[in-house]
Amino acid sequence: QLARRLYVDDSSGIRLLDDLRDAGLVVADADGWRYYPADSTLDAVVEQLAGVYARHVVAITELIHSSSERKAHRFADAFRLRKES
């Protein structure tokens, strides 16, 4: 379902779910996958991202669906949480 909604092939959809799981954003259960952030900080970041997406949906959608899968990964990397030194 995810792959169809994002207009990507099934293997890309599986990789995306695996990446989201590894990032602590989703869990798999008997009904499939669901949003379940690992902590409240991560949940807050996702809420902020949802707000940015709502205000800039066209630009973000164009970036995500650009011709290069690498561009979408660079966009996603910009939102990775990193420990401060």
Side-chain angles (χ1 to χ4, degrees):
Q1 281 180 321
L2 175 74
R4 282 192 306 272
R5 296 276 316 256
L6 295 177
Y7 304 103
V8 298
D9 60 54
D10 288 345
S11 63
S12 293
I14 291 167
R15 282 194 311 270
L16 287 168
L17 285 169
D18 288 341
D19 288 347
L20 291 170
R21 182 201 57 225
D22 294 347
L25 290 168
V26 300
V27 294
D29 61 22
D31 295 323
W33 294 85
R34 65 185 173 94
Y35 175 69
Y36 192 82
D39 57 50
S40 60
T41 301
L42 190 54
D43 190 36
V45 169
V46 171
E47 286 295 322
Q48 289 176 336
L49 179 59
V52 170
Y53 179 78
R55 289 187 307 276
H56 304 284
V57 66
V58 173
I60 292 171
T61 301
E62 287 175 351
L63 177 63
I64 291 170
H65 293 285
S66 64
S67 60
S68 171
E69 186 176 302
R70 181 82 176 121
K71 290 179 186 176
H73 285 283
R74 282 189 298 195
F75 173 75
D77 287 345
F79 293 95
R80 289 193 190 273
L81 295 177
R82 291 175 172 64
K83 288 185 179 180
E84 293 188 30
S85 306

